[in-house]
Amino acid sequence: MSTPKNVAEHVLDRLAAWGVHRFYGYPGDGIGGIFTALPERDDAEFVQVRHEETAAFAACADVKYGGSPIGCCVVTGGPGAIHALNGLYDAKLDHQPVVALLGHTAQTAQGGGYYQEVDLPTLFAGVGGYVAEVKDPSQVRHVVDRACRTALADRTVAVVILPSDVLEEKAVPEPPDAHGYYQTSAVPSSDPGAPAPAALEAAAAVLNAGEKVAILAGAGALGASTELTEVANRLGAGLSTALLGKGVIDERSPWNCGAIGLLGTTASWHLMRECDTLLIVGSTMPYTEYYPAPGQARAVQIDVDGTRCGIRYDTDVNLTGDAAITLEALLPLLEDKTDPTWRAHVERWTASWDDYSAQRAHERTEKLNPELVVRELSDRLPDDAQIAVDCGTATSWYARDLTLRPGQRGSLSGTLLSMGGAMPYAIAAKTAHPDRPVVALVGDGAMQMNGVNELITIQRYWRTWADPRLVILVLSNDDLSYVSWETRGMLGEAPDPQSQAVPDVPYAEWATLLGLDGATLTERDAIGSVWDRALAADRPFVVDAKVDKDIPLVPPHVTLQQAFNTARSQVAGDPDALSIIANGVKETVGAKARSLLGLPTKH
C-alpha cells in the first residue's frame, strides 16, 4: 500500500486495515476530501443512496446480513449528519458495529456561526460509544483504531468527526515516538469464549432440575442454530424467538412456538406462562408481561454482554459468553429429558396456532387479506433469500405468517422500530450479497416516507448484481394502520383520518417508469401467480398489493382493557367500525372456531 498523501487517504487506509471496504453515503463539501480519495482506491466500494438516513440504516444492515465486520456511513456535517442520526440509533439499539465518518466545518471557521456549523460532539454524544474529532493529522491512526475497536468490542456506534480543512492536510501515518502521541494497533481484540466451568455447572443444575423448559432466543443467538437446536432437544424444550431472533432455528420445527410479545403467537404465550424453567439466549426482549410470571420459573441467561443479563427477568445464573461457544460447552452437562409430556404440550400449542393462523389468512375480506399475501410467499421463498422488513403491520405479518428455513435471513429495525428501514436494509442486503435474492416487506406509509426515492438507488445499481431479483411488497391500504390499531386498542379512540390516511400511489407504475418491473395486485386468486412472476423477474419488481386495513391485529393474549378500548373506539365514531367488526368476526372468531373444531382451511 502506498503512503497516504493526506488525512483523507490515511483515514481510508486505516479503516481498510480493520476490514472496512464498503461505504454508504451522500457527498457534501464538509466531507469532500473523503469523496475525492475514494475513487482512487481499488479496495473500496461506495454506494450512493438518496438520503443520509438511508446511508446509516444501510451501514447497520450491512453488518446484520453478514456483509461487513464493521458498517460505515460517510456523510457531510450539519444537515447531513443530523439526517444520519436515526439510522445510527438503529445500529446502537440493535448492537451493531458501525463507524460514522462525519464531515465538519473547517477548524478556522468553527465557533464563528459558519454555514451548517453544528455542535457535532454534543449532538452525537448519545448515540456514539466513542466520539472523537480529528484536529491534527497525527490523531488519525489512534482515533480510527479506537473507533473500530470500540465498535467491534462494544457492538455499538463510533463517530469520527473530520473537519474539511484537516482532511486536506498532509498525512502522518507513523506518529512520533514522543510524549503526547500514541502507537496503536489495528488488530481486533479476541472474541469472548465460554464462561468458567463452575458457572456452566451452576447453569446446568438449574436446567436439569426443570421439568418444563422454555427457551427465548434473540439476535444474540444468530449463528448458534446447531447448538441451540441440540440444547433444545436435549432439554425437551419449546422455543420462542424475539423479533430479531426470527429464523435462528428451522421454523418448521414442531417445537418452535414462534414469535414472542405483542406480535407473537398464542403458542409462545402458553410456553412462557406454563414453563418452570427459562433459558434466555441473546435476548433482552422488553415486554416483560410476556415472560413467565414473577417467581414462576428459575432462569439462566446467556449473553455476550454481561450488563444485559438479568435486566428483564429474575435470573438464577448469568453466563457471559458467545452463544454458540457457551451452548456447546453447556451441552455435555445437560441431562436428557426422557418424559415426553412437556414437549407434547408444546407441539400441540404450536399445531393449534399454525392451524388458527392458516384459517385467519384464508378468510375472505373486503380487500386482499394481508396475511394471505405474506403467507403465500413462505413456500415460494428461495432457499437463500434475504428478507428486509419495515415497522408497522408488515412486521406483524412477517412475525406470524412467514416461515423461515435454514439459509434464509430476515432483519429489521428491531429495537428502534423505525419506519423507513426496509428499503435501506434491502439495498444493504443486496450490496452485501449481490448473488442472493432479496424480498422487502413495506407498508405504504414507509414506502412514501423513503421507499419511492430509494427505488432510484435500486435502479442505479441493479445491473451490477449477479442475481437481479429484489422484490418489494408494498402493503397498500391507504392508512397508517398499525398506529390506527394502537389508537383503538390503547387509547380507545377512533383514528383521525386527517393524520392516519395516506395518499393512494401507483407504486408498480412508478417502478416501471424507472425501468424496473411491477404489478398491482387486487385479486385473491392472482396472489400466487404474481409472486411467481416477481420471483422469476429479470430485474427488481414491485408488488403493489391492495390490502384491507381493517384486519384486526390480535395480540397472543388479549387483556380486558385492550378489548374494552377497542370496543369503545367502535362507538366513538370510527368510520371503519362495520368493516372492523365484520373482519374481526370472520378472521378472529370464525378462524378460531374452525381451528378448534378441526374444520379444513377455507381456500
Side-chain angles (χ1 to χ4, degrees), residues 426-582:
I427 291 166
K430 213 50 194 169
T431 304
H433 303 288
D435 58 338
R436 294 177 62 176
V438 171
V439 177
L441 310 180
V442 191
D444 50 2
M447 195 65 183
Q448 292 180 23
M449 184 175 284
N450 65 353
V452 291
N453 289 335
E454 293 306 336
L455 281 177
I456 299 171
T457 304
I458 291 168
Q459 189 275 338
R460 176 172 181 168
Y461 289 107
W462 75 266
R463 290 178 180 83
T464 67
W465 301 335
D467 184 330
R469 291 177 294 173
L470 193 168
V471 182
I472 300 110
L473 169 65
V474 184
L475 294 163
S476 181
N477 57 20
D478 304 335
D479 186 70
L480 298 174
S481 51
Y482 195 92
V483 179
S484 293
W485 281 105
E486 286 181 323
T487 303
R488 295 180 183 110
M490 295 183 181
L491 302 178
E493 299 291 340
D496 179 9
Q498 292 296 317
S499 64
Q500 296 305 112
V502 296
D504 184 14
V505 174
Y507 304 102
E509 293 177 35
W510 170 233
T512 56
L513 184 65
L514 290 172
L516 309 177
D517 203 352
T520 300
L521 177 60
T522 59
E523 299 300 323
R524 172 190 172 99
D525 293 342
I527 294 173
S529 60
V530 168
W531 273 126
D532 291 339
R533 177 183 162 196
L535 290 166
D538 63 354
R539 64 195 62 204
F541 194 105
V542 172
V543 177
D544 182 3
K546 303 302 183 183
V547 298
D548 204 307
K549 68 178 184 297
D550 296 327
I551 303 303
L553 295 178
V554 180
H557 177 71
V558 182
T559 67
L560 288 175
Q561 188 62 50
Q562 288 168 331
F564 173 76
N565 286 343
T566 303
R568 190 177 70 181
S569 75
Q570 306 313 299
V571 296
D574 193 333
D576 299 311
L578 293 178
S579 179
I580 289 169
I581 292 168

Side-chain angles (χ1 to χ4, degrees), residues 58 84 162 300 340 495:
L162 300 164
V300 173

Side-chain angles (χ1 to χ4, degrees), residues 222-305:
L222 295 172
S225 300
T226 300
E227 296 81 1
L228 193 62
T229 300
E230 290 176 347
V231 166
N233 285 328
R234 179 73 57 87
L235 294 172
L239 181 140
S240 290
T241 55
L243 197 55
L244 286 172
K246 184 175 170 64
V248 69
I249 63 163
D250 187 340
E251 294 195 319
R252 298 169 298 182
S253 303
W255 44 269
N256 168 45
C257 294
I260 192 173
L262 192 63
L263 308 181
T265 70
T266 55
S268 72
W269 171 262
H270 287 300
L271 176 72
M272 291 296 155
R273 286 287 154 157
E274 297 191 30
C275 69
D276 63 15
T277 308
L278 175 64
L279 173 60
I280 305 170
V281 184
S283 175
T284 55
M285 196 279 294
Y287 291 153
T288 55
E289 67 270 30
Y290 291 96
Y291 285 78
Q296 170 192 318
R298 300 183 70 195
V300 173
Q301 185 163 358
I302 299 170
D303 204 289
V304 72
D305 182 353

Side-chain angles (χ1 to χ4, degrees), residues 139-151:
Q139 292 179 275
V140 167
R141 175 168 160 174
H142 78 79
V143 165
V144 173
D145 286 351
R146 182 85 177 270
C148 292
R149 189 178 307 282
T150 301

